[in-house]
Amino acid sequence: MDSSLTPEPSRLVNTPAIPSIVSLLERGLDYIQRERDAEGLSMLALARARLSPDQGYLSIELDTFINAYPKYQHARQALQEASIRFAETHAQQEAHVTTLLTLLPTLMEDIEAQQCQTYPHIKTTGHQLSQSQHAVREEDQASLSSLASQLFTGETSMLPALHIICFGSFVVRRFDQTIDLCHIRNGQTILRYLMAQTGYRVSMDVLMEVLWPNDEPDVARRKLQIAVCALRRSLNGDYPCERGGGYILFKDRVYQLNPAVSIRSDVDDFLALYKAGQQVVPREEATAYFERACRLYTGPFLAEDLYADWPSNRREQLSRIYLAMCSTLADHYLRIGRFEDASNWASIILNENHCDEAAHRLLIRIYTAQGRRSEALRQYQRCERVLLEELGVRPMPETVHIFQSIPNLMKRK
């Protein structure tokens, strides 16, 4: 047989999936440029996962881009919303100007008629009247400047954005600098209470009942006013705001964070990443979103109010979402054989809730898949003991079944 017909060994070796990575990056960047963010980020995350250790320079750039993207999305959304509001208010303003211009001739005729009645011996021409009406004295200029200053220093003032951390320690930042909140404890509590409410708003009656339930209404109202005043001063800082304005507004007996100011929280980013991960298809690509969301969860929601009743529902809701993502990540890494990552995510669940039987089962399966039979048995015993001591129950049938199948699995290995 002619040796020239035999393929060279090098041609039989599979080549790296470089075109696949390049294609993912190109498609991802194309989606990003077309503002199809979820699809674009999922493509980039998938490309990132396929990079080799030698391509660390690109991994760093992709990680930086993906991690910074929620901030860009928020800024873009704020800009779009501001553009819409500007277009609407500009149209209204133009309509008002048009109306006023149409009324000016009528006003001038009325004034001319009044002057003719008051001073019948003076003949005032339309040109003279126009000049007299447009002549503004110097002392009036000061009044106009003062009025303009008042119009643009209230709710419409361009206050800088705030970034508020609610997971773990409560922190408020402006330009990446931490703001020293007022030293009045209830003043800080009011801000945290607002962050736990839909629309960041709450009535003064609710705040009085939550913070001073045993005080007379007049006493509680005065304490509330003092606390809010101190909180406003610490938030507004040196930025010019009218009395009762700035970052916290009060209208119709309701306190509210100023909707005209960009206020972003880690909870907002956490939920945005969670929703983005839910929408990704195939589901395996959701892991990049879930991991970034879970990194934001640095502790319970509003840990300073851990024993108060009012944040408990929101805290439990966010905790359930966090644990659900951790469980998804543990399952995913178990399926693809990344046992250490799977074990880490399952352990995180148990750190949050050591009675989570599903997480115990996950660890038993992970140890079994690794051939660590003794650790799998100890994990079952730990699960059995915790459930009995904490909840007074025995493990569920599916947990017992996994435990009973361990020896058989080990023999087959």
Side-chain angles (χ1 to χ4, degrees), residues 249-351:
L249 307 179
F250 180 70
K251 185 178 181 181
D252 298 330
R253 297 178 64 84
V254 171
Y255 289 101
Q256 179 181 12
L257 291 181
N258 194 335
V261 179
S262 175
I263 297 177
R264 181 173 61 93
S265 74
D266 55 347
V267 174
D268 296 330
D269 295 342
F270 173 84
L271 292 175
L273 289 167
Y274 169 62
K275 291 175 182 176
Q278 285 185 309
Q279 296 169 1
V280 170
V281 178
R283 295 293 295 160
E284 288 75 12
E285 296 178 12
T287 55
Y289 290 102
F290 288 168
E291 285 189 336
R292 287 164 55 200
C294 289
R295 283 197 291 269
L296 294 174
Y297 193 98
T298 56
F301 175 70
L302 300 183
E304 289 83 356
D305 306 289
L306 203 57
Y307 300 105
D309 292 333
W310 54 266
S312 59
N313 289 338
R314 183 66 162 164
R315 183 181 298 123
E316 290 172 6
Q317 176 202 26
L318 295 171
S319 177
R320 284 196 300 270
I321 292 173
Y322 172 61
L323 295 178
M325 287 191 287
C326 290
S327 179
T328 299
L329 291 169
D331 275 324
H332 168 73
Y333 287 123
L334 174 59
R335 276 198 312 274
I336 65 175
R338 288 174 56 174
F339 300 123
E340 185 175 351
D341 289 327
S343 177
N344 287 339
W345 287 111
S347 298
I348 287 173
I349 298 173
L350 290 178
N351 287 338

Side-chain angles (χ1 to χ4, degrees), residues 354-392:
H354 56 277
C355 293
D356 191 315
E357 193 170 349
H360 284 287
R361 285 198 297 272
L362 265 173
L363 276 177
I364 294 171
R365 290 167 54 203
I366 292 166
Y367 292 145
T368 301
Q370 291 178 287
R372 297 158 64 181
R373 179 176 180 273
S374 60
E375 291 182 60
L377 293 175
R378 280 197 296 271
Q379 189 63 45
Y380 174 80
Q381 292 167 353
R382 190 176 299 115
C383 170
E384 188 177 40
R385 184 181 64 256
V386 167
L387 293 177
L388 188 60
E389 292 176 354
E390 298 287 335
L391 305 177

Side-chain angles (χ1 to χ4, degrees), residues 150 152-159 174 228-237 239-251 255-261:
Q150 293 175 15
F152 292 97
T153 56
E155 299 180 16
T156 58
S157 61
M158 296 301 291
L159 291 168
R174 179 168 50 217
V228 171
C229 182
L231 177 61
R232 273 202 183 106
R233 282 200 303 269
S234 63
L235 286 176
N236 295 346
Y239 294 94
C241 301
E242 68 177 5
R243 183 178 177 85
Y247 288 101
I248 298 179
L249 307 179
F250 180 70
K251 185 178 181 181
Y255 289 101
Q256 179 181 12
L257 291 181
N258 194 335
V261 179

Side-chain angles (χ1 to χ4, degrees), residues 37 102 107 113 140 151 167 236 314 317 324 351 379 386 413:
D37 299 336
T102 59
L107 175 63
D140 292 333
L151 288 173
F167 289 126
N236 295 346
R314 183 66 162 164
Q317 176 202 26
N351 287 338
Q379 189 63 45
V386 167
K413 289 181 179 293

